[in-house]
Amino acid sequence: MNMKNLIFTLLFFAVAMFQSSFVKAEGEEEKVEMSPENRHCLQCHGNKYYSFYNEVAERTEHKLMNPYFVIDSVSYLQGEHQGHYCTDCHLEDYNTYPHAPELKLEPKISCLLCHDFSAIEEEVSQSVHYEALGDQFHCELCHDPHSNKIVKSNIEELIEYNNSRCLNCHNNIDKYQLLVSHKNPEILKTHSWLPNQTLHFQHVRCIECHTAVNDTAEALHHILPKEQAVRKCVECHSTNSMLSNKLYKYEKAKDPKGGFYNTVILNDSYVIGANRNKYLNNISLLIFALTFGGIFIHIVMRIIKRK
Amino acid sequence: MESKKMYLYPVWLRIWHGVNAICIIMLIVTGVSLHYADMEYPFMSFGLSITLHNIFGVIALISYVIFFAMNRLFLNGLQYRMKLKGLMKRLIDQGKYYMFGYFKGEPKPFPISEENKFNPLQRVSYTVTMYILMPIVIITGIGLLYPEVIMDEVAGVNGIQLTALLHAIMGYFISLFLVIHLYVASVGKHPLKNYKSIVTGYHEHE
Ligand code: HEM
């Protein structure tokens, strides 16, 4: 390839790449748009700073927004309530600023007002959290109504998103101590018995170990006391790995391939003990048997010849 | 023939060999217990196996590095070089000796000397084990100890799976080597003679 061709080729790829990213960005934007009504709220709640006209001082003021009151519009538009107006869940009175002081006293809306999740509610009320903290521990602590979504496409993403639900609070001393006065146990320290922790937390969900065995939408809300958490490695690291029934239950139907046990896991992980291969195991046993057979015959010959 | 002693295994080699043997045996036991981990028939707790396997793996690595370095520095390394020409014939000759000649009391086709302490079969199997199987099992083992360094995907297959598979297969071949090695070392006038040599360093001529 001469110099000119090379330059043209590179140019071609550059243009192609630019175009494809351009097209993609456009496609994403088309899906859902933030309504103008929501934009009104987000001009303050979408940023670190907000400004408003102070009628008493008669000037525009710039202020810091409480970081916990910032709504990320990107994840809002990916969440399952993407199509909702803010005022579907919050009172219309929020349209005026300063917000009226009574609004602070108004209880926030609950998921349960619009959805019938009574079976889940039942399980949540049996979880360690509810038992320790009661009503304070509401659904929204794990499901941010402004971004909650169900990830089903990609296991790795699903795990990360799911664990962030727990880690958002268990790794955040401020949020944690909003509920209890004692110190946040450090997740990494309390799980120091688990080797390759980062790898584990990337490949299994917290609820794998912290809920009962069956993985229904309801049962996975029943967080057990820590004494009952899974600690036995072989629960996962064996041919009848519970991962096949929990994390990978949706994919269970797939055929085993190449003689591996628990094939469904293999797309994302290799779990020692759970993913052994039937064929290889059989061949290896056969070779060992032949070797020992050969040695045995040799020994017999030695004994016979010695006489 | 009068009994003559040859000094075949210097101190470092004997120490290496002892350490290595202990490590490999522990690695095989714990490795098998990991690979065949089971709920109903726990041979050894999974966590303990992981810990022991890691510890002995690291010791085996260090011991291998020493073996490798010493063989480069000293003449012992020459024992692991071989001419490819006629190798097949030499292997077959030695094999025949083990299968037939040995029982008929024929002389050894390749008698031991200080310059040439291995017979062709030993030479090939030691070289393959020490310079092919061991490096692969060690490198894949390091990979599994630090799974972050392993590529996520190789040709559409999970990188950790490939690494673990290679590790297990190589470990299997080393176990196979060990079984044969242990048995063949007992072949001779007196079954325990060679075992004594690897402890004392001296080989007694027959
Ligand atoms: C308890 C286990 C073991 C015993 C009792 C044992 C015994 C012996 C004996 C008797 C010899 C002398 C060879 C001969 O004269 O035929 C020897 C040499 C040797 N063994 Fe082992 N062995 C053991 C484990 C291993 C393991 C696990 C390896 C490697 C993975 C190994 C690699 C070697 C090598 C490379 C030599 C040649 C040493 C040299 O460079 O001179 N052995 N072993």
Side-chain angles (χ1 to χ4, degrees):
Chain A
M1 203 189 285
N2 63 23
M3 204 58 190
K4 214 166 109 197
N5 279 352
L6 187 72
I7 291 173
F8 269 116
T9 318
L10 287 178
L11 223 72
F12 175 78
F13 278 119
V15 171
M17 262 164 68
F18 181 76
Q19 276 206 328
S20 59
S21 64
F22 186 69
V23 170
K24 210 168 140 202
E26 211 174 41
E28 269 169 11
E29 221 167 274
E30 261 173 12
K31 256 196 274 162
V32 218
E33 286 229 9
M34 195 61 92
S35 62
E37 290 86 340
N38 286 1
R39 285 212 183 116
H40 168 66
C41 311
L42 288 174
Q43 83 197 22
C44 294
H45 286 286
N47 297 306
K48 281 192 206 157
Y49 304 96
Y50 68 98
S51 43
F52 68 102
Y53 185 71
N54 183 336
E55 283 173 359
V56 179
E58 295 189 328
R59 61 187 151 95
T60 304
E61 294 201 28
H62 300 284
K63 299 224 156 173
L64 272 173
M65 178 58 88
N66 176 340
Y68 290 103
F69 290 175
V70 173
I71 309 293
D72 179 40
S73 48
V74 175
S75 35
Y76 188 90
L77 290 177
Q78 287 168 352
E80 51 220 4
H81 299 114
Q82 44 177 227
H84 282 72
Y85 296 128
C86 307
T87 48
D88 287 348
C89 297
H90 297 287
L91 292 173
E92 293 279 353
D93 309 81
Y94 276 107
N95 271 315
T96 52
Y97 192 85
H99 300 320
E102 310 85 72
L103 287 176
K104 269 225 182 310
L105 310 175
E106 196 75 35
K108 295 278 190 313
I109 198 168
S110 155
C111 322
L112 304 164
L113 272 181
C114 303
H115 296 281
D116 178 21
F117 286 142
S118 44
I120 294 179
E121 199 188 359
E122 177 73 33
E123 295 292 335
V124 170
S125 68
Q126 290 170 23
S127 72
V128 271
H129 292 119
Y130 196 90
E131 253 146 39
L133 306 159
D135 264 340
Q136 286 189 75
F137 206 88
H138 44 83
C139 318
E140 290 80 6
L141 291 177
C142 290
H143 299 283
D144 182 350
H146 311 104
S147 61
N148 190 57
K149 61 182 178 188
I150 301 174
V151 184
K152 284 225 169 101
S153 53
N154 174 331
I155 291 271
E156 217 155 301
E157 217 175 285
L158 180 148
I159 293 167
E160 196 195 333
Y161 183 73
N162 244 300
N163 289 355
S164 72
R165 287 201 169 115
C166 317
L167 292 173
N168 263 343
C169 183
H170 276 283
N171 258 356
N172 182 324
I173 191 118
D174 297 337
K175 284 197 188 171
Y176 191 84
Q177 293 204 319
L178 206 57
L179 296 166
V180 284
S181 52
H182 61 80
K183 272 230 166 162
N184 189 9
E186 283 175 57
I187 293 294
L188 292 183
K189 270 205 199 119
T190 49
H191 295 79
S192 57
W193 48 273
L194 189 65
N196 298 88
Q197 239 184 80
T198 343
L199 189 78
H200 275 105
F201 286 174
Q202 279 165 359
H203 290 274
V204 295
R205 299 169 299 177
C206 311
I207 52 174
E208 242 70 72
C209 299
H210 285 290
T211 62
V213 181
N214 54 336
D215 187 320
T216 56
E218 295 83 40
L220 62 77
H221 283 95
H222 189 164
I223 314 274
L224 300 164
K226 64 180 174 191
E227 293 78 19
Q228 290 171 41
V230 170
R231 197 174 196 150
K232 275 224 200 82
C233 320
V234 279
E235 297 264 2
C236 295
H237 290 276
S238 65
T239 41
N240 49 347
S241 177
M242 71 169 185
L243 289 176
S244 278
N245 304 322
K246 266 192 143 172
L247 181 56
Y248 290 94
K249 63 174 173 162
Y250 300 112
E251 301 178 54
K252 211 177 173 183
K254 275 191 200 156
D255 295 330
K257 55 180 183 203
F260 285 99
Y261 289 93
N262 295 305
T263 331
V264 289
I265 304 175
L266 278 176
N267 295 329
D268 313 281
S269 296
Y270 175 85
V271 183
I272 300 173
N275 290 133
R276 59 184 88 145
N277 188 301
K278 207 162 59 189
Y279 303 139
L280 286 181
N281 285 355
N282 291 347
I283 294 172
S284 64
L285 286 180
L286 183 71
I287 297 179
F288 256 124
L290 290 176
T291 309
F292 280 114
I295 289 176
F296 180 73
I297 293 171
H298 205 264
I299 293 177
V300 170
M301 291 284 287
R302 276 168 81 178
I303 294 170
I304 293 173
K305 285 287 166 179
R306 195 185 282 172
K307 280 178 190 159
Chain B
M1 204 186 288
E2 86 187 78
S3 166
K4 193 177 79 185
K5 277 187 172 182
M6 268 187 282
Y7 189 51
L8 291 187
Y9 307 112
V11 177
W12 72 263
L13 187 66
R14 282 178 277 147
I15 295 177
W16 163 78
H17 190 267
V19 172
N20 188 52
I22 292 171
C23 288
I24 300 281
I25 289 169
M26 287 307 290
L27 286 168
I28 291 174
V29 171
T30 52
V32 166
S33 126
L34 289 176
H35 189 78
Y36 293 96
D38 200 288
M39 297 261 243
E40 278 125 66
Y41 310 101
F43 166 67
M44 182 192 260
S45 107
F46 193 88
L48 180 65
S49 307
I50 288 273
T51 313
L52 289 178
H53 201 78
N54 289 349
I55 293 172
F56 283 104
V58 171
I59 303 177
L61 160 69
I62 297 169
S63 123
Y64 182 79
V65 171
I66 292 171
F67 171 85
F68 190 87
M70 294 304 250
N71 265 352
R72 295 238 91 184
L73 294 175
F74 298 116
L75 290 175
N76 195 56
L78 296 180
Q79 304 284 344
Y80 294 85
R81 306 249 169 98
M82 62 195 106
K83 285 208 190 74
L84 285 179
K85 208 172 145 221
L87 181 64
M88 211 54 208
K89 176 160 186 320
R90 276 177 276 144
L91 287 178
I92 291 171
D93 285 351
Q94 181 66 29
K96 272 190 192 151
Y97 170 74
Y98 275 138
M99 282 191 284
F100 313 110
Y102 169 69
F103 296 118
K104 294 186 198 144
E106 283 172 13
K108 286 184 184 169
F110 304 93
I112 292 186
S113 67
E114 271 169 48
E115 300 75 44
N116 215 353
K117 58 180 176 178
F118 301 150
N119 70 46
L121 274 178
Q122 281 175 323
R123 188 176 293 232
V124 169
S125 62
Y126 291 165
T127 309
V128 167
T129 305
M130 294 314 297
Y131 290 99
I132 298 178
L133 301 184
M134 286 292 279
I136 298 181
V137 92
I138 287 174
I139 291 169
T140 51
I142 296 173
L144 291 173
L145 195 56
Y146 300 101
E148 311 77 78
V149 304
I150 299 176
M151 273 189 282
D152 280 349
E153 224 182 82
V154 183
V157 183
N158 183 326
I160 292 184
Q161 184 192 354
L162 274 187
T163 316
L165 214 56
L166 200 58
H167 187 76
I169 292 174
M170 292 303 141
Y172 169 75
F173 282 133
I174 290 177
S175 330
L176 207 57
F177 163 83
L178 182 61
V179 171
I180 299 172
H181 177 60
L182 285 182
Y183 179 68
V184 171
S186 80
V187 174
K189 264 269 161 57
H190 193 283
L192 293 181
K193 193 187 60 136
N194 281 338
Y195 295 118
K196 235 170 36 207
S197 319
I198 197 70
V199 177
T200 61
Y202 286 99
H203 180 90
E204 273 178 57
H205 216 294
E206 285 143 26

